[in-house]
Amino acid sequence: MSVSKLAGLVGDVADFRANIWRRTPAILRPEVAFEPPLTVADIDDVLAFGALQAGYVGVQRADKVITPEAYCSSRTFNGTVHHDFADGGKIRDLVRDGGTLVLRGLEQWHAATASLTSALTSELGLRADAALIITPPGRQGLRVHRDDADVFVVQLNGSKNWRVHAGPTDEDWIPGLTEDDGLPLLSEVLRTGEVLYVPRGFAHYATGERGLSVHLSLAVREVGGVHLYEALQQALLEGYRIESRPVDDDALLARAAGMLAHLKDRLSALSPHDVVALARTAMLADVTSHTSPGLNELAAALDEPAADRVQAEVA
C-alpha cells in the first residue's frame, strides 16, 4: 500500500480537506516528520558544478533588483561560450549579503523531488511543482504578494517568520506583488519540520528568523477562466472536420448550419463538471515527463552473448 504524500504534509487528510483546504492558512505539524527529497548538502553539490542555468536559479531581495549577471557566469566547453550558468561563488556572496536564493522547477531536474510532485499530482488530480528557497536571517526575498497556486511550505532548516493575509475578494485578482492590508490572518514563525499551508491567492510574505532558512515550496496549480475556455472550445469541436473549402454560398451556409448543429449537440451533452475535468486534464498533460532513454537496458542487451540474443529473439 502506497503512503500518501499529502498525509505526510497535513496529517489528517479528511480534516484538512474539510476545514483548511482553500479556506484558511494554517501551520501543520504532522505526527510523522515529512521526509524531504533533498538536503542543503545536496544543493551545495548541485551548485558547486554550476550546471544549472538562470531559468532554474534566481537570487532576489525585497529591497533591490538582482539581475542574472550578478549570480551567473559564462562557461566554455567544446570551443563554444555558453552564458547564464549559475555560479556557486557569486551565489554564496549574494546570500551572505542578504539575498534569497530561489531554485525553481526542481521536479524537472531532481529525481527525488520529481517523484514527490508526481505523487502529489496523482493524489490531488492537480499539477504540483516545487521550488527551494534559502534566506539568511532578518532578510526578505519578496514583498507581500499573491501566488496563483495553493502552496505547502516545508521548513527544512532554520526558521522563518510568515504573515499571511486574506485572499482575493473577487475573481479579478492578479498574481504578483500586492498591498499589505495590515491585518494578517496568520503571523507565526515556521520552524524546522513544520509545514505552512497558504491557500491560492492569499497575500503573504516572510522574513528569515533564526539560522539559514531553507524551505521547500510545493505549489499545487488550479485551472482558471482561460483554461476553461480552451477546454470548452476543444470539446465543442471534437469530432468535427473544419478543414473544408465550400465552393459557393449555398455550400458555405450548409457548412455553417452543420457546424451549429454539431456545436449544439456537443454543448447539450456537456456539464460544468465536464468542462472543469477537461481543463484539469489538459493542464496535467503539460506536466514534464521523465522518459528514460533506456541506455542501461541497451547496454545489458548488447553485452549478452550473441547466441543468447538469437535464442531470445527466436523465442
Side-chain angles (χ1 to χ4, degrees), residues 27-292:
I27 289 185
L28 309 164
R29 301 176 178 88
E31 292 183 7
V32 179
F34 182 79
E35 185 79 27
L38 76 174
T39 65
V40 180
D42 294 330
I43 297 304
D44 265 341
D45 291 341
V46 169
L47 293 177
F49 287 93
L52 293 179
Q53 291 181 278
Y56 290 114
V57 181
V59 180
Q60 56 193 38
R61 284 176 53 159
D63 59 344
K64 64 187 294 187
V65 175
I66 301 177
T67 63
E69 290 78 12
Y71 53 84
C72 291
S73 294
S74 299
R75 305 182 72 179
T76 302
F77 50 90
N78 199 28
T80 304
V81 178
H82 300 265
H83 304 285
D84 293 339
F85 279 91
D87 186 311
K90 290 182 177 181
I91 290 171
R92 176 195 60 216
D93 293 341
L94 287 169
V95 172
R96 286 178 175 174
D97 191 43
T100 287
L101 171 63
V102 181
L103 298 178
R104 310 180 185 94
L106 267 69
E107 75 286 350
Q108 296 184 25
W109 53 268
H110 187 259
T113 304
S115 178
L116 168 60
T117 56
S118 177
L120 280 175
T121 295
S122 296
E123 287 184 49
L124 294 169
L126 300 170
R127 194 185 81 200
D129 53 56
L132 192 83
I133 294 90
I134 300 177
T135 305
R139 297 292 185 161
Q140 188 177 322
L142 196 62
R143 301 194 305 275
V144 60
H145 63 282
R146 301 183 189 275
D147 290 325
D148 193 12
D150 292 274
V151 179
F152 295 97
V153 176
V154 185
Q155 192 70 25
L156 305 183
N157 190 79
S159 59
K160 206 165 195 179
N161 194 330
W162 287 83
R163 287 171 66 94
V164 184
H165 298 256
T169 56
D170 57 45
E171 295 183 2
D172 296 323
W173 63 279
I174 300 173
L177 297 178
T178 187
E179 297 298 322
D180 181 349
D181 62 15
L183 301 171
L185 301 176
L186 180 149
S187 180
E188 291 191 46
V189 173
L190 190 69
R191 295 177 171 81
T192 302
E194 296 179 332
V195 179
L196 168 67
Y197 168 68
V198 181
R200 181 188 187 196
F202 279 50
H204 59 279
Y205 66 95
T207 306
E209 186 75 7
R210 288 192 171 188
L212 186 65
S213 170
V214 181
H215 75 258
L216 179 67
S217 176
L218 297 168
V220 179
R221 308 289 175 182
E222 181 59 283
V223 298
V226 170
H227 303 96
L228 295 176
Y229 172 80
E230 292 174 348
L232 180 59
Q233 185 180 49
Q234 184 70 27
L236 290 178
L237 292 175
E238 183 180 356
Y240 189 82
R241 186 176 68 87
I242 60 175
E243 297 86 358
S244 62
R245 295 177 177 84
V247 296
D248 55 30
D249 284 352
D250 289 340
L252 190 63
L253 289 171
R255 171 58 67 172
M259 180 176 287
L260 286 172
H262 176 85
L263 293 178
K264 289 177 181 178
D265 289 343
R266 291 292 297 159
L267 189 60
S268 65
L270 288 172
S271 71
H273 290 286
D274 292 331
V275 178
V276 171
L278 289 168
R280 287 174 173 170
T281 299
M283 177 176 278
L284 292 179
D286 289 335
V287 174
T288 301
S289 63
H290 301 280
T291 303
S292 169

